[in-house]
Amino acid sequence: MLIKTKNAWDISENNVTSEKDYFSRRDFIKAAGLIGAGTAASLSMPGSALSQEKLKTLANEFDGRDIQDEQTDARAILNYNNFYEFGMDKDDPAKNSHTLITEPWTVTVDGHCENRGTFSVEDLIDFNNLQERIYRMRCVEAWSMVIPWVGVSLSEIIKKLKPTSNAKYVYFETLVDKKQMPGQNKGIIKWPYREGLRMDEAMNPLTIMAVGLYGETLSNQNGAPLRLVVPWKYGFKGVKSIVKISFVEKEPNSSWMRLAPHEYGFYANVNPKVPHPRWSQASERRIGDFRRRDTLMYNGYGEMVAHLYDGMDLRRNF
Ligand code: MTE
């Protein structure tokens, strides 16, 4: 069901998905698999050291369609998860997340932007312009996967919300609902699950808001109905089942930073040279593989993102 909200960016009645046409977002997401490369047009990167033209070309290259790595088996992507709102074990989210109700779903937007308010998923995501992005995902626990996501560039959503010049960071929260998310009855972390990005990281063409994977609607255990994907950062930055987006001036305090600030930093860029106190980050186990493989700086996406960290001490800003 579509929730009617007032959008300052004026979606005309004709463009709004009607209840009849809505058919649970599924067919749009299936069709997106066919769109793929070349659709990442009109990408915007304020403050980037790279030219817009160069970034557009790179964004198309980096949609991952030419990735050499084999895509991880869908069964692993759907059954080996971290989503502590549904339990601590890797198979808990698949077993327990059926209690999450993802339709209807609203996202509250506040902070330093012109278009504050409460929006439906359809208001935020252009389901006619979904792209497939095949990305490596590297968890800080030193395992990795290759996932064919379906979604839109986060920059497309941010442009609709019109952040002001005071917005230096964007902050996200997951739903809090102990009935739907039984794991929240345990104080593993201080709920809600929180994450954030610097504005230029959020606007980078690689950063997407995913609504599907393998051409299907996102499953609950993977963060339905919408979750962040930032492929050059450790997987924990990919906050799931988002209900709040805030544009803020100060660096947000993420869930993991609150829990263990000496172990988890704000940036969380994949970096084989900066070990985690409990895991070397030099290598990883690709799910489905027997041998470990070397971990790549920025998870292999340095060409697109290294410039964001020019002059920064990556050991201190881990
Ligand atoms: N988001 C929420 N709300 N809760 C979580 O526990 N876990 C994070 C991230 N997003 C998590 C979350 C971690 S640690 C990882 S590695 C990825 O989700 C895992 O995503 P996946 O289960 O889709 O592979």
Side-chain angles (χ1 to χ4, degrees), residues 54-104:
K54 174 87 175 145
L55 272 166
K56 273 187 206 168
T57 327
L58 283 173
N60 289 344
E61 278 172 24
F62 279 80
D63 68 0
R65 292 202 154 227
D66 57 352
I67 198 167
Q68 298 301 314
D69 317 25
E70 202 179 312
Q71 291 175 35
T72 303
D73 191 300
R75 282 166 299 186
I77 300 174
L78 296 171
N79 290 287
Y80 190 88
N81 299 101
N82 280 334
F83 201 170
Y84 293 137
E85 285 85 340
F86 298 104
M88 298 281 284
D89 290 337
K90 293 284 182 278
D91 57 352
D92 281 342
K95 281 194 285 194
N96 301 332
S97 62
H98 55 89
T99 47
L100 179 65
I101 301 161
T102 59
E103 291 173 26

Side-chain angles (χ1 to χ4, degrees), residues 85 100 105 171 173-185 189-194 240-244:
E85 285 85 340
L100 179 65
W105 189 273
Y171 164 84
E173 280 181 4
T174 296
L175 175 73
V176 182
D177 184 323
K178 287 184 179 168
K179 267 204 184 134
Q180 291 188 56
M181 296 181 146
Q184 289 178 337
N185 289 301
I189 60 174
K190 201 167 175 292
W191 313 108
Y193 192 97
R194 303 153 213 247
K240 297 178 171 183
S241 307
I242 294 168
V243 291
K244 183 171 176 181

Side-chain angles (χ1 to χ4, degrees), residues 152-225:
V152 298
S153 284
L154 178 63
S155 66
E156 296 299 323
I157 299 177
I158 292 180
K159 276 187 267 173
K160 288 182 184 176
L161 301 175
K162 297 205 169 118
T164 65
S165 57
N166 288 333
K168 307 288 185 229
Y169 297 87
V170 54
Y171 164 84
F172 304 89
E173 280 181 4
T174 296
L175 175 73
V176 182
D177 184 323
K178 287 184 179 168
K179 267 204 184 134
Q180 291 188 56
M181 296 181 146
Q184 289 178 337
N185 289 301
K186 293 198 182 128
I188 309 158
I189 60 174
K190 201 167 175 292
W191 313 108
Y193 192 97
R194 303 153 213 247
E195 260 308 336
L197 294 172
R198 221 171 56 191
M199 272 313 267
D200 55 355
E201 298 177 320
M203 294 300 287
N204 187 280
L206 282 181
T207 306
I208 61 166
M209 193 66 92
V211 293
L213 64 84
Y214 264 117
E216 298 284 345
T217 310
L218 204 58
S219 59
N220 287 359
Q221 59 266 37
N222 292 100

Side-chain angles (χ1 to χ4, degrees), residues 1 16 20-21 42 73 80 96 128 155 183 201 207 233:
M1 192 206 302
V16 175
K20 178 169 70 61
D21 294 339
S42 69
D73 191 300
Y80 190 88
N96 301 332
N128 289 308
S155 66
E201 298 177 320
T207 306
K233 294 181 179 282

